[in-house]
Each structure stands twice: as C-alpha cells, then as structure tokens.
C-alpha cells in the first residue's frame, strides 16, 4: 500500500487530522490498535475551546455538536463556602467554550471517516515505524493475520501517551519533562440533571471537586482522591457524600444524585517531550504531551497540534513549502507550554497536597482570593480557559 500521510492512532487527534487531510485531497491511511467500540468506550474530557470548535466546523463534522453541544459563557470557582463567577465571554471580548464530550467528537469523526471511504484499519497489531530519517519511510503492521506494509511521505504519531510512535525515536533524541501529582481524580458519570448551569471548580479543605456535565440530563462529577485509592472502595453513596461535603452548602443542597453509569480514577500528570518531530515523523496530541485535567486542556491541545500539522501539510502539498516541516515542533511547543503552565497552576491552586505546610496553605488561599478579586486576575484565568490563539502558518 502507498499513501501520502500514515496516521498512527484513531483517537481524536488521528481522526481529525485524517478528516481535514481527506477533505483537502491529501491521501491518508489510519492504523489503530483497538476496535472502534473500544475507542468509544473511553470516557474523557468535555470542554472544547473556540479554536477547536471552529476546526471541527472546518472539518465538516460539527452538525451534531452545533445542535446538541452546550455553549458556556462562564464557569464558577467555589472556595470559602462561596461561588465566584468567571465571565469568560465578558472578559475575553466574546469568546466562549462548548460542552460536548470527547466520546461524541470521536463518534462524529468516525462516522465522517466511514462516509468518506478513506482507509482505516482497526485492530492492527505489531505496528512498527521504519526509515524515519531515510528516503523510504513506511509502517508495517498485522491486520486479520496478514502482515501489511504502508509506504508514505509523512507519519503522524497520533497514538497517545502509551503509543509506539514516541518510542520509535532513538533514545537520547528527546528530552522529557514530567511531574506526577500525588493524587488522582475519581470521576462519576450519571444520568442526573446538572447541579448548576455552568461548571463549578471547587477548592475545599477535604480536597478539590469539579461539577461538569455532558448534556441537560447527564452529569460528570469528580473528587480529588489520594493516588493509591481504589475505585472498588468508592460506592455511589460514598462518592455523592464526599462530593457534597466539598461544595458550598447551597449548591450541595441542590445536588441531584443517582446511580453511576461509569466510575474511574485517573492519575494526574504533566508531561512534555521536545522536539515533536524526528525526520518524517510528527508527534501529535497525547503522544507528545499530557496535562492534568484541571484546565480542560488535553483534548484542546491535541486539536491545536492537528491544526498546526494540517496547515503545514497543506502548504507542503499545494505549494511545495517543505521548509515549513521544520517549524512544526517549535510552533506547537510554544502553545503547549502555555497550556501546561495554566493546567499546572490551576491544579496547584485548587488541590490539597499531602505535604502542604501552614505557610503554603495560606499562599494557596491568598492566590485564589487575589486572582478572583482582581480584574487582571480574572482576565488571565478567562483568556487561558477559552484557549490562547493558534499561530498562523505562513
Ligand atoms: N498502534 C496503533 N494505535 C495505537 C497504538 C499503536 N501502537 N498505541 C495506541 N494507539 C491508539 C490508541 O488505542 C488510541 O485510540 O492511539 C489512540 C490515541 O488516542 P488518545 O489517547 O485519545 O490520544 P489523542 O488522539 O492524542 O487525543 C487527545 O486529549 O485530553 C486528552 O486524553 C484525552 O484522549 C484525549 C487526548
Ligand atoms: C469533564 O467534563 O470531564 C471535564 C470538564 C472540565 C475539566 C475536566 C474534565 O477541567
């Protein structure tokens, strides 16, 4: 087989890049290790920045999102028993975010892929990348018991944190930056009405809590738990009691509980590799970086990497601008580090750390109080939350 761009991984990064390239007439083949159902079974984030919303529209996969997604003009910070509103729209000159689950984004992209007839291999095993710096870059893999070879000009490594792409780069080439936080998020999905029209990020002596949603009838709630907690030890009743204890009394009184339809614990990590390119291979999304979920940036960063690689490849294929390929990593990393900073800062400000001394605890409280009490502080939160602008490629 032969194509222009080989895409490893059919998460949101791989599917969105594939869709944009296909629409632009650039051939691509997607190779995914899991089945489509397995990919759709993963419950992940749900807040889309405006840049990602616009990119999904450009890709032609936004009809359902525009019908069913919830546009949010702001969110709430809860601390000291009170709610403080962050007016995203007012503070950013009209920008908003869209509440629409990653699972739904993925489903829409999968349907578009199928409708386009462009090739996608699910259930591929033993995926290997070859000749990344040479004249014959290619990918080999096993599918339905058959060994296949895909020749290509470029490879997009969209295969997530545990994927093969980053690991195919020779040791010593990449520099990794990492912080693992000493806690995780216990998340529950339930068919209950949201406790509040907007998201609530709560800082409490018992730990952080987040009230989010997927629709007017489906909620996603989280509580900070110790890294070693086991999901089996958390009955629904225990989860709801813990969540209520961390919310302002008036909010807790309004909380509607119900049976969970999914419950899981996710660790919190910050991670970046530099550079994001090695020869003909380009790392995209979670393959190159992870953020803790507190800023809702993971999926959005994947979209901005896709945007950058797509715009570069367009110019490569249409105008012969191969010089732009070298810029991919620097353009992406500039925005990634800013999102890493915001995610780290939100995490640091809102969570309880096991080793916090009295002075650090006061600093944390004061930081929250200061930022929320100052127009400059609220503006910096808002402009980061709605998403920093994408860099133009020219
Ligand atoms: N070969 C082929 N596919 C692979 C391989 C491999 N060796 N290893 C992993 N994959 C697949 C995974 O099964 C998965 O479907 O690559 C895909 C990667 O998808 P994601 O992990 O969702 O990563 P990405 O598409 O970059 O999405 C961005 O942002 O907030 C985060 O976690 C959130 O998933 C979201 C991510
Ligand atoms: C979610 O809805 O899952 C969600 C929302 C906001 C975050 C993280 C997760 O910051």
């Amino acid at each position: 087989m032969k194509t222009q761009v080989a895409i490893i991984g059919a998460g949101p990064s791989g599917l969105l890049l594939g869709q944009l390239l296909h629409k632009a007439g650039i051939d691509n083949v997607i190779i995914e290790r899991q089945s489509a159902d397995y990919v759709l079974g993963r419950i992940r984030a749900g807040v889309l920045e405006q840049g990602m919303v616009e990119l999904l529209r450009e890709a032609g996969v936004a009809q359902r999102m525009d019908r069913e997604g919830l546009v949010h003009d702001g969110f709430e910070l809860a601390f000291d028993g009170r709610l403080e509103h962050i007016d995203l729209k007012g503070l950013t000159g009209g920008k908003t975010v869209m509440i629409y689950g990653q699972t739904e984004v993925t489903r829409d992209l999968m349907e578009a892929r199928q409708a386009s007839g462009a090739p996608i291999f699910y259930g591929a095993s033993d995926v290997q990348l070859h000749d990344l710096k040479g004249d014959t870059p290619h990918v080999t893999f096993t599918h339905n018991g058959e060994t296949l070879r895909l020749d290509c000009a470029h490879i997009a490594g969209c295969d997530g944190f545990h994927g093969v792409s980053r690991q195919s780069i020779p040791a010593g080439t990449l520099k990794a930056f990492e912080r693992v936080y000493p806690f995780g998020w216990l998340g529950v999905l339930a068919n209950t009405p949201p406790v509040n029209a907007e998201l609530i990020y709560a800082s409490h002596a018992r730990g952080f809590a987040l009230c989010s949603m997927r629709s007017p009838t489906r909620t996603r709630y989280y509580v900070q738990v110790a890294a070693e907690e086991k999901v089996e030890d958390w009955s629904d009743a225990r989860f709801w009691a813990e969540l209520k204890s961390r919310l302002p009394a008036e909010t807790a009184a309004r909380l509607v509980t119900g049976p969970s339809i999914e419950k899981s614990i996710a660790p919190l990590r910050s991670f970046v590799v530099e550079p994001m390119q090695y020869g003909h291979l380009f790392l995209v999304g979670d393959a190159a970086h992870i953020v803790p979920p507190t800023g809702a940036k993971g999926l959005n960063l994947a979209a901005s990497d896709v945007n950058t690689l797509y715009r570069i490849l367009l110019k490569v294929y249409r105008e012969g601008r191969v010089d732009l390929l070298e810029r991919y990593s620097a353009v992406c990393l500039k925005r990634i580090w800013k999102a890493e900073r915001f995610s780290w800062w939100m995490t640091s400000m809102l969570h309880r750390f096991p080793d916090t001394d009295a002075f650090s605890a006061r600093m944390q409280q004061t930081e929250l109080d200061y930022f929320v009490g100052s127009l400059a502080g609220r503006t910096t939160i808002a402009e980061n939350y709605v998403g920093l602008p994408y860099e133009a490629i020219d």
Side-chain angles (χ1 to χ4, degrees), residues 362-393:
R362 278 285 186 277
M363 282 297 110
Q364 211 181 16
Q365 284 167 357
T366 306
E367 188 147 31
L368 198 47
D369 195 37
Y370 166 68
F371 270 84
V372 164
S374 132
L375 178 61
R378 299 167 94 93
T379 306
T380 182
I381 294 174
E383 76 175 3
N384 280 281
Y385 196 84
V386 299
L388 297 174
Y390 290 179
E391 187 168 323
I393 304 293

Side-chain angles (χ1 to χ4, degrees), residues 291-317:
V291 285
T294 326
K297 289 285 164 257
L299 176 60
N300 291 302
L301 273 186
S304 63
D305 291 353
V306 167
N307 180 71
T308 303
L309 187 55
Y310 167 61
R311 309 263 171 233
I312 288 176
L313 289 173
L314 263 188
K315 294 213 160 159
V316 168
Y317 283 100

Side-chain angles (χ1 to χ4, degrees), residues 39-326:
V39 173
L40 283 177
R42 298 186 289 224
I43 307 293
R44 288 190 171 161
V47 179
L48 312 185
E49 294 173 352
Q50 196 150 317
M52 177 166 189
V53 166
E54 281 158 20
L55 193 60
L56 290 169
R57 289 186 186 136
E58 185 177 343
V61 291
Q63 298 85 343
R64 198 160 66 91
M65 176 193 74
D66 280 326
R67 248 191 350 262
E68 298 174 13
L70 308 172
V71 174
H72 278 200
D73 295 349
F75 69 87
E76 303 279 354
L77 282 170
F79 58 100
D80 286 348
R82 65 184 207 264
L83 286 180
E84 289 285 349
H85 185 238
I86 303 294
D87 175 10
L88 296 174
K89 198 172 184 179
L91 290 162
T92 61
K95 292 191 183 152
T96 58
V97 293
M98 174 81 80
I99 307 300
Y100 190 65
Q102 178 173 327
T103 313
E104 304 314 313
V105 172
T106 308
R107 196 188 310 278
D108 297 343
L109 284 164
M110 279 179 176
E111 279 173 15
R113 184 78 188 180
Q114 197 169 9
S116 75
I120 181 161
F121 292 87
Y122 283 103
S125 58
D126 195 22
V127 178
Q128 292 183 38
L129 316 187
H130 308 272
D131 203 21
L132 296 175
K133 283 216 154 169
D135 297 333
T136 57
H138 61 283
V139 182
T140 56
F141 60 102
T142 304
H143 187 256
N144 289 338
E146 212 186 330
T147 300
L148 300 171
R149 171 177 168 138
L150 175 64
D151 288 287
C152 56
H154 304 101
I155 302 176
C158 304
D159 48 351
F161 184 63
H162 300 286
V164 67
S165 299
R166 192 179 69 249
Q167 287 158 22
S168 304
I169 298 173
T173 310
L174 298 180
K175 184 162 173 51
F177 301 82
E178 184 168 36
R179 168 154 309 176
V180 177
Y181 299 86
F183 43 73
W185 279 15
L186 168 63
V188 157
L189 192 67
N191 285 325
T192 53
V195 66
N196 193 62
E198 293 180 338
L199 269 59
I200 302 176
Y201 290 79
S203 168
H204 189 272
R206 293 183 65 83
F208 172 78
L210 171 59
C211 303
S212 182
M213 66 195 74
R214 290 290 175 275
S215 75
T217 55
R218 182 166 286 186
T219 48
R220 182 71 167 157
Y221 293 115
Y222 299 93
V223 293
Q224 173 190 352
V225 293
E228 57 283 0
E229 283 287 339
K230 297 269 171 293
V231 73
E232 307 82 78
D233 295 333
W234 285 85
S235 64
D236 287 358
R238 182 177 174 204
F239 176 83
W240 292 121
E242 189 60 43
L243 176 63
K244 277 188 183 181
S245 76
R246 299 182 187 189
L247 299 175
E250 264 181 36
T251 310
R254 278 190 282 120
L255 184 77
V256 179
T257 65
S260 64
I261 50 178
E262 196 266 355
K263 196 188 285 157
S264 52
I265 296 181
L268 267 68
R269 181 197 299 271
S270 299
F271 175 83
V272 181
V273 287
E274 294 181 351
M276 289 166 61
Q277 178 194 3
Y278 179 77
H280 307 292
L281 169 66
F282 299 83
L283 300 177
V284 180
D286 277 18
H289 43 77
I290 298 290
V291 285
T294 326
K297 289 285 164 257
L299 176 60
N300 291 302
L301 273 186
S304 63
D305 291 353
V306 167
N307 180 71
T308 303
L309 187 55
Y310 167 61
R311 309 263 171 233
I312 288 176
L313 289 173
L314 263 188
K315 294 213 160 159
V316 168
Y317 283 100
R318 290 188 177 166
E319 300 165 27
R321 291 286 309 277
V322 287
D323 60 297
L324 292 175
L325 292 166
E326 301 281 303

